[in-house]
């Protein structure tokens, strides 16, 4: 089970939601640019969804939903389940999560610049690993049980 987020982290994450609403696609697009310097990781992603811009939009929406509901994870249960199933379908493993963190956090700074300080980046790092732990644990269950039919999720 993931260690609960601190009240300070929750407050910071919720306070950044407006910036994410405005700049989320720019952040996720920059994150993918950083992430895809590794060809092995790039191969895990649907490149058509990258080219069309659909994947950065989807991820930006997911990050925004997380920011708005960081204190109510129950509201994200179905979204987390869909992400976990998709990750299992595309062979995402726990060892891939550090690469995403190492691309996402600097992308936030790249896009938002001086509006983001170390406190905000620290809070997002804590929040990222909290959500990553939730996903990794659910994905482990799915890998162990065999992938469910997406139509039932």
């Amino acid at each position: 089970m993931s260690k609960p987020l601190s009240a300070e982290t929750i407050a910071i994450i919720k306070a950044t939601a407006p910036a994410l609403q405005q700049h989320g696609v720019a952040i996720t697009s920059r994150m993918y640019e950083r992430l895809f310097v590794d060809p092995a990781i790039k191969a895990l992603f649907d490149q058509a969804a990258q080219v069309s811009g659909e994947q950065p939009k989807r991820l930006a929406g997911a990050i925004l939903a997380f920011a708005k509901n960081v204190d109510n994870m129950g509201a994200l249960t179905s979204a987390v389940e869909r992400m976990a199933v998709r990750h299992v379908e595309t062979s995402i493993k726990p060892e891939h999560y550090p690469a995403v963190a190492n691309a996402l956090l600097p992308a936030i700074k790249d896009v938002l610049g001086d509006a983001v300080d170390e406190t905000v980046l620290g809070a997002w790092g804590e929040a990222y690993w909290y959500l990553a732990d939730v996903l990794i644990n659910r994905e482990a269950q799915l890998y162990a049980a065999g992938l469910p039919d997406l139509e039932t999720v």
Side-chain angles (χ1 to χ4, degrees):
M1 191 71 174
S2 301
K3 175 186 159 202
L5 294 171
S6 70
E8 179 183 10
T9 293
I10 290 170
I12 291 169
I13 297 305
K14 288 185 83 66
T16 61
L20 292 171
Q21 183 139 15
Q22 184 175 359
H23 302 287
V25 174
I27 291 168
T28 56
S29 295
R30 179 68 180 128
M31 183 211 77
Y32 284 119
E33 288 171 11
R34 288 177 159 277
L35 190 62
F36 291 165
V37 298
D38 181 337
I41 290 182
K42 184 176 182 177
L44 294 170
F45 289 83
D46 174 1
Q47 291 307 303
Q50 295 297 325
V51 172
S52 72
E54 188 56 34
Q55 181 59 34
K57 285 180 199 168
R58 277 195 307 252
L59 182 57
I63 293 170
L64 179 60
F66 175 67
K68 288 180 173 181
N69 293 286
V70 68
D71 57 348
N72 180 20
M73 287 297 290
L76 302 173
T77 300
S78 64
V80 166
E81 184 67 12
R82 283 190 307 274
M83 285 193 310
V85 168
R86 180 71 179 146
H87 286 175
V88 170
E89 285 181 329
T90 57
S91 301
I92 300 298
K93 302 281 196 242
E95 57 267 24
H96 296 123
Y97 282 85
V100 174
N102 292 335
L104 177 60
L105 298 175
I108 293 170
K109 182 70 175 167
D110 288 351
V111 172
L112 299 180
D114 292 339
V116 175
D117 61 17
E118 291 304 314
T119 302
V120 171
L121 283 179
W124 268 102
E126 182 184 340
Y128 172 82
W129 284 109
Y130 172 83
L131 182 57
D133 191 45
V134 168
L135 287 165
I136 289 167
N137 287 328
R138 181 61 185 132
E139 290 158 16
Q141 294 170 345
L142 293 172
Y143 278 119
L147 184 64
D149 181 359
L150 260 180
E151 299 302 316
T152 64
V153 176

